[in-house]
Amino acid sequence: LYEVCAAPRLQDALAAEAAVALPGRLDFPTRETLRSVPLLGRTFKEALRKHPVVATGTLRALSTAVRLPSGERLAAGVLVSVPQFALHRNPRHWPDPENFDPGRFTPEALEDRH
């Protein structure tokens, strides 16, 4: 919410999108109506990228052994942490990572990144 409040143009674009996609709607939006507000979806994804719910990381146990690029081997069952906060701010993966940019999640941007 902070990122949207800090970006008046984004607020205007979201309001315009909602006015077209959800004119006069007061009921809970359906999956179909949510598909008609793509900017809202991209804004939500970018907010989660920049402000992850679990900023300290997620622990996972390796199901199989893994060899790291450094050559070190991790055995099956070892717990590894995926630090979302650091990963989502890595400029190798996210150009200008401190900038809030819902455009990172357009279909074209996703295709280029994956």
Side-chain angles (χ1 to χ4, degrees), residues 2-3 46 49-51 85-86 88-91 94-101 104:
Y2 166 79
E3 298 290 351
E46 177 66 351
R49 180 203 64 85
K50 193 166 177 199
H51 306 284
F85 189 86
H88 291 170
R89 284 182 165 66
N90 186 331
W94 303 98
D96 194 14
E98 294 300 322
N99 183 39
F100 186 81
D101 179 12
R104 297 178 201 272

Side-chain angles (χ1 to χ4, degrees), residues 7-26:
R9 281 197 211 151
L10 178 59
Q11 289 177 40
D12 293 343
L14 288 167
E17 182 181 74
V20 170
L22 310 166
R25 300 251 345 220
L26 297 176

Side-chain angles (χ1 to χ4, degrees), residues 3-75:
E3 298 290 351
V4 174
C5 291
R9 281 197 211 151
L10 178 59
Q11 289 177 40
D12 293 343
L14 288 167
E17 182 181 74
V20 170
L22 310 166
R25 300 251 345 220
L26 297 176
D27 56 331
F28 196 76
T30 65
R31 189 175 299 187
E32 290 74 33
T33 55
L34 289 176
R35 285 189 189 115
S36 66
V37 286
L39 179 59
L40 178 62
R42 293 193 307 267
T43 301
F44 186 72
K45 289 175 183 177
E46 177 66 351
L48 288 174
R49 180 203 64 85
K50 193 166 177 199
H51 306 284
V53 176
V54 183
T56 57
T58 303
L59 284 177
R60 296 285 187 258
L62 294 177
S63 58
T64 60
V66 173
R67 186 163 307 276
L68 299 176
S70 65
E72 186 175 352
R73 184 180 176 277
L74 301 177

